[in-house]
Amino acid sequence: MTQNASPSPVVTTATGPVRGKREGAATEGQVSAFLGIPYAAPPVGPTAFAAPTPHDSWSEVRDATDYGPTAPQVGYPAPIAAILDNVIDPGADYLNLNIWTPDEDATGLPVMVWIHGGAFARGSNQIAIYDGSTFARDGVVCVGINYRLGIPGFGSVPGAPDNRGLLDQIAALEWVRDNIAAFGGDPDNVTIFGESAGAMSVASLLASPLAEGLFHRAAMESGNGFTAAAVDDAHKVTARVAEILGVDHTAEAFGKVSMDDLLQAQTQVALELTVNPDPDVWGATITSIGLGVMSTFPVLDGTVLQDAPQNAIGDGAGRGIPLLAGWNADEFRFFFAPTGIVAAATPELARGMIAKAGLPTDQFDERLAHGVSPGDALCEAITDLAFAAPTRALADLRPDSPTYLYEFRYSSPVADIRAGHAVELPFVFDRLDIAHALTGPEPDQSVAEAMHSAWVQFAKTGNPGWTVHAPGNEPHVFG
């Protein structure tokens, strides 16, 4: 139900009315934005490590013209922060979502729900390139969600439900199901899409029985279907956090620790894992699946995730749901070029990094034998092992469901990252104007137009505009 008093539209949700704002020139087609709407109660105090619960209702019109808080986190290391934007905005009501709609008085518009990346430890729905107004401009209701990150969201702690970050995502999708019609959206035509940890979350949601029926199409940018740790291994990570904090290894004790102290301990553990990814210390699934980049991520808890996503999908989970999935040609250059690893890598160093991550080295050795430098060969090998090959494999597991593969090849000149991880983001959102730190000063707008329109078409029709994948087929190429 809406009260159209431009430029301040008011929509009534199940928990209370919210006031948004008009964006854009009236002559160019305005959209309405509703920002920072809470979809669950603040996870603070005794509920910090509990499953999400409904937010208290309100009767007065709630202002939704500014972004809400972000999940507790620390910033990116300097070399990454220089090229990838992030926002940290503390506050209790961080389980919130943003909505951009072309017309809150419409009915039956397709809906896209964005799940941000950040290695399950960083990121938010406040980041400028995630502004969904470009999708609304093209006839889609776009929703961007926050969810708990790091130890609060994905640390496996005795006495707490596991996969709290995924439970938050599911709660957000339930909110969308129950409320999106008031913003012009169709709750029976919801596409979830995400990048990196967001794409891995999409795979988990495809696999989870708790998310069944909450979405109808899915898109994965730079993800895979194997990111799920054994609970016993995940406990080793949080046990080390408890040791650093000097508290019991329980949810009750963690809930009494200040967030600053918890984040400091989490950061120390992540560094220790990166420096010494020993499976005897951290557990084999943490070291091999985390790739030295992630220390907390979804776990096989038997409830949210009963099996690794790729196994569940192979057994039929998500059958019939159209899937758009792909990878960037040079994913790991984003991690290794700005930090100097590409330039400094020797054959021994690179081979050791691959082996420590529990990955095979034969592909690296093959590229080395063809005259590729050790740093380049390292990036090529891990890009394929962590993203390209598992995405192809996931597609092959869905012969009875429409799956569309792509590869992003546009080369950014920034810090030699080329078609690195995250470079496709401003192309998908058609926000090249504010992403030059990532794309370079003269990105190709035609690539953005092609990618963005494919995502819009996929949300509207279930087909991005190219042939359904079959084993052995090459992916559609952007750039």
Side-chain angles (χ1 to χ4, degrees), residues 401-427:
S401 303
T403 303
Y404 303 88
L405 292 187
Y406 74 89
E407 183 178 44
F408 176 78
R409 295 181 184 173
Y410 183 82
S411 184
S412 169
V414 175
D416 199 28
I417 59 174
R418 304 179 193 176
H421 200 63
V423 176
E424 92 291 348
L425 286 169
F427 291 86

Side-chain angles (χ1 to χ4, degrees), residues 130-477:
Y130 301 159
D131 183 318
S133 61
T134 52
F135 284 103
R137 173 198 69 196
D138 295 326
V140 175
V141 178
C142 187
V143 182
I145 68 172
N146 281 341
Y147 54 98
R148 277 176 282 188
L149 303 170
I151 296 296
F154 294 93
S156 186
V157 186
D162 283 319
N163 294 315
R164 294 173 299 280
L166 292 178
L167 290 173
D168 293 342
Q169 295 171 16
I170 291 168
L173 290 172
E174 291 172 340
W175 190 97
V176 167
R177 176 197 62 198
D178 297 339
N179 292 278
I180 206 63
F183 297 86
D186 181 357
D188 294 320
N189 184 9
V190 175
T191 299
I192 58 172
F193 69 128
E195 182 265 349
S196 191
M200 298 169 197
S201 295
V202 168
S204 292
L205 295 171
L206 277 167
S208 177
L210 301 189
E212 189 172 347
L214 294 176
F215 59 93
H216 314 90
R217 295 172 184 135
M220 297 170 56
E221 303 168 30
S222 303
N224 58 54
F226 60 70
T227 299
V231 169
D232 287 348
D233 290 349
H235 277 177
K236 294 180 180 180
V237 174
T238 53
R240 175 59 182 143
V241 171
E243 182 181 14
I244 293 169
L245 293 169
V247 302
D248 291 339
H249 185 215
T250 65
E252 182 181 6
F254 274 37
K256 295 177 181 178
V257 173
S258 76
M259 186 56 66
D260 286 345
D261 288 345
L262 185 61
L263 290 176
Q264 185 175 355
Q266 171 184 301
T267 302
Q268 180 178 332
V269 167
L271 179 60
E272 290 177 359
L273 174 60
T274 300
V275 172
N276 181 35
D278 185 345
D280 290 335
V281 174
W282 306 106
T285 59
I286 294 293
T287 56
S288 63
I289 293 171
L291 302 168
V293 176
M294 300 184 297
S295 54
T296 53
F297 45 89
V299 300
L300 300 174
D301 63 341
T303 302
V304 182
L305 284 180
Q306 298 173 354
D307 203 345
Q310 62 191 11
N311 295 338
I313 290 167
D315 289 338
R319 179 176 287 126
I321 294 177
L323 174 65
L324 170 62
W327 61 91
N328 296 357
D330 307 301
E331 297 274 8
F332 257 78
R333 298 194 73 84
F334 173 84
F335 303 102
F336 291 164
T339 54
I341 294 174
V342 169
T346 63
E348 294 74 25
L349 173 67
R351 193 177 292 109
M353 289 177 66
I354 297 171
K356 278 185 176 181
L359 299 172
T361 60
D362 49 346
Q363 187 170 348
F364 167 79
D365 290 327
E366 179 183 343
R367 298 301 294 148
L368 210 60
H370 281 80
V372 178
S373 73
D376 289 345
L378 171 67
C379 292
E380 291 178 15
I382 303 187
T383 290
D384 187 64
L385 291 166
F387 296 105
T391 300
R392 289 181 185 272
L394 198 64
D396 289 345
L397 290 170
R398 308 177 80 243
D400 301 324
S401 303
T403 303
Y404 303 88
L405 292 187
Y406 74 89
E407 183 178 44
F408 176 78
R409 295 181 184 173
Y410 183 82
S411 184
S412 169
V414 175
D416 199 28
I417 59 174
R418 304 179 193 176
H421 200 63
V423 176
E424 92 291 348
L425 286 169
F427 291 86
V428 169
F429 277 84
D430 194 13
R431 292 310 310 266
L432 298 183
D433 56 320
I434 58 171
H436 293 174
L438 181 63
T439 66
E442 298 179 349
D444 190 338
Q445 179 61 33
S446 68
V447 178
E449 290 170 0
M451 291 196 82
H452 179 74
S453 64
W455 266 240
V456 169
Q457 185 173 337
F458 181 71
K460 290 181 176 180
T461 69
N463 185 328
W466 61 86
T467 305
V468 172
H469 171 75
N473 285 4
E474 290 301 306
H476 183 82
V477 173

